């Protein structure tokens, strides 16, 4: 579970600890700690600190995806209601890929509780059955998944540039017609 702050977070630019909140994960499930609220926490347990290889799970909101802590983020804690996943005997990048799969997201969404703000409980996440192939297979799956994502980004950029080029050509033709 994320750190249970008892009151509203007040940013302290000199604070020693970054507080990762749901807003610090973008739509592409990338973690952005550089803009996180900073605080001083005099009494907290070391187990609340996030570290490279951890996954942070958005338990509330329109998406319940996870983000990978892929670099050393310095002293940082996860704010409740986010959940910390510390992979054991599974590659963090594989678990990231697996949990963010549309079919797994649908399974988690079916477990959501609440009416206005849907929430995935810690218990529901713990009950999630995860297929864990051998490490070499996990590595290959992660590599192919990353290549497919890169291809999708490049294809989208290419389509956008092609449309801009065609629009520019057609605009010149329309202006030349006068």
């Amino acid at each position: 579970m994320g750190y249970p702050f008892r009151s509203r977070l007040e940013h302290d630019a000199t604070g020693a600890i970054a507080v990762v909140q749901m807003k610090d994960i973008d739509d592409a499930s990338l973690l952005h700690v550089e803009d996180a609220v900073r605080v001083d926490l005099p009494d907290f347990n070391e187990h609340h600190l996030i570290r490279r290889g951890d996954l942070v799970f958005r338990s509330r909101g329109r998406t319940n995806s996870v983000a990978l802590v892929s670099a050393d983020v310095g002293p940082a804690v996860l704010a409740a209601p986010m959940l910390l996943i510390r992979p054991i005997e599974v590659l963090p990048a594989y678990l990231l890929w697996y949990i963010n799969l549309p079919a797994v997201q649908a399974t988690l969404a079916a477990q959501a509780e609440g009416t206005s703000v849907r929430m995935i409980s810690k218990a529901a996440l713990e009950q999630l059955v995860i297929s864990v192939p051998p490490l070499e297979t996990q590595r290959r799956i992660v590599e192919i998944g990353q290549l497919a994502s890169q291809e999708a980004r490049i294809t989208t950029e290419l389509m956008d540039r092609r449309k801009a080029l065609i629009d520019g050509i057609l605009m010149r033709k329309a202006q030349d017609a006068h």
Side-chain angles (χ1 to χ4, degrees):
M1 296 290 294
Y3 189 84
F5 289 93
R6 303 283 184 233
S7 61
R8 186 173 184 270
L9 289 173
E10 295 294 331
H11 179 67
D12 177 358
T14 63
I17 298 176
V19 180
V20 176
Q21 301 174 73
M22 285 190 271
K23 68 176 183 62
D24 298 318
I25 300 174
D26 67 18
D27 290 338
S29 294
L30 297 175
L31 182 64
H32 299 279
V33 180
E34 60 276 3
D35 296 324
V37 170
R38 300 198 69 81
V39 298
D40 278 318
L41 291 175
D43 57 339
F44 73 96
N45 272 324
E46 293 286 321
H47 77 271
H48 279 111
L49 290 176
I50 59 174
R51 59 186 183 223
R52 184 181 187 155
D54 285 347
L55 297 172
V56 293
F57 179 76
R58 288 191 250 194
S59 63
R60 288 188 188 157
R62 58 181 167 73
T63 61
N64 298 111
S65 58
V66 293
L68 174 64
V69 180
S70 58
D72 181 19
V73 295
V77 296
L78 201 58
M82 295 181 73
L83 301 173
L84 175 66
I85 301 170
R86 190 156 283 154
I88 299 171
E89 298 182 21
V90 63
L91 293 176
Y94 172 79
L95 196 54
L96 170 83
W97 169 82
Y98 190 88
I99 293 173
N100 286 338
L101 284 172
V104 175
Q105 286 292 302
T107 299
L108 289 170
Q111 301 295 317
E113 301 169 349
T115 53
S116 62
V117 178
R118 309 279 291 154
M119 185 179 112
I120 306 294
S121 69
K122 179 182 172 190
L125 189 59
E126 288 174 335
Q127 292 174 0
L128 182 65
V129 177
I130 299 171
S131 298
V132 182
L135 283 175
E136 187 53 37
T137 303
Q138 291 178 44
R139 281 188 192 91
R140 280 192 238 128
I141 288 170
V142 167
E143 183 179 355
I144 292 169
Q146 289 171 341
L147 288 171
S149 293
Q150 183 179 11
E151 178 190 31
R153 281 191 303 277
I154 291 169
T155 301
T156 299
E157 183 179 340
L158 179 62
M159 289 171 36
D160 292 345
R161 288 182 180 199
R162 182 179 294 133
K163 182 177 182 344
L165 176 64
I166 291 170
D167 287 349
I169 291 168
L170 294 176
M171 180 61 95
R172 280 196 299 276
K173 290 291 182 188
Q175 291 171 343
D176 289 347
H178 283 76

